[in-house]
Amino acid sequence: MSKKGAGKFVLGAAVGAGLGLLFAPKKGKDLRADLKNKIDELVNQVKEIDPEDLKAEFDKKVAEIKEELEDLDKEKVLKIAKKKGNEIKKKADELVDLAVAKGTPVLKKAAEDVRDKAVEVTKDVQKKLEAIEI
């Protein structure tokens, strides 16, 4: 694997670890501390990569991620989840309307089931987000 490919792999692993921590069942303060530790570990690993330009680019990306994480809060995530939930419901309603317009009862029932499940899932995600302690 090339040095550039290794850097991308490490960045992907860091992002994955960060997302895993964000959705873990811990308090916000503990999550942020864990995430900071993981980022610090990542920074230490980056320092071992030889090419200077790769280090600089990686450090820049880590700083950007830290900045974005500091900006991340429950209200923003919940707002985005609600917006996406509404978009999903709208598209599911369009699917039902299409089935009705084509006069296919079997497809209409299947589309309604999809819509109902999509609404259920988005509401469940929103409830979970509302329950998170940050």
Side-chain angles (χ1 to χ4, degrees):
M1 181 183 301
S2 71
K3 298 268 186 192
K4 204 171 212 181
K8 289 179 182 178
F9 173 77
V10 174
L11 178 61
V15 171
L19 289 174
L21 289 171
L22 286 174
F23 289 102
K26 288 186 174 182
K27 289 186 177 183
K29 183 178 181 182
D30 295 335
L31 288 176
R32 289 188 293 273
D34 288 349
L35 189 55
K36 182 190 178 306
N37 289 337
K38 290 293 181 186
I39 289 174
D40 290 342
E41 287 175 23
L42 184 61
V43 169
N44 289 334
Q45 290 175 355
V46 168
K47 291 177 182 176
E48 294 175 9
I49 296 174
D50 192 36
E52 290 300 317
D53 61 328
L54 184 56
K55 283 188 202 179
E57 184 178 335
F58 205 83
D59 287 340
K60 178 183 172 191
K61 292 295 179 193
V62 168
E64 289 172 2
I65 291 169
K66 282 183 177 180
E67 185 178 321
E68 290 297 322
L69 287 170
E70 289 171 4
D71 232 12
L72 184 65
D73 64 26
K74 178 180 173 180
E75 290 74 26
K76 287 181 184 179
V77 173
L78 189 55
K79 182 180 178 181
I80 292 168
K82 286 180 180 180
K83 180 181 177 189
K84 286 294 178 189
N86 289 334
E87 290 173 5
I88 290 169
K89 184 181 181 311
K90 180 182 175 194
K91 292 199 183 294
D93 286 338
E94 291 171 358
L95 182 64
V96 171
D97 292 344
L98 177 63
V100 169
K102 297 298 179 184
T104 53
V106 173
L107 289 180
K108 178 183 180 231
K109 174 69 174 120
E112 287 172 339
D113 289 345
V114 167
R115 178 190 58 203
D116 294 344
K117 192 60 168 175
V119 168
E120 178 185 332
V121 168
T122 57
K123 285 182 179 179
D124 185 53
V125 168
Q126 290 173 16
K127 284 180 186 174
K128 288 179 181 177
L129 287 171
E130 289 170 349
I132 291 175
E133 292 180 34
I134 295 186

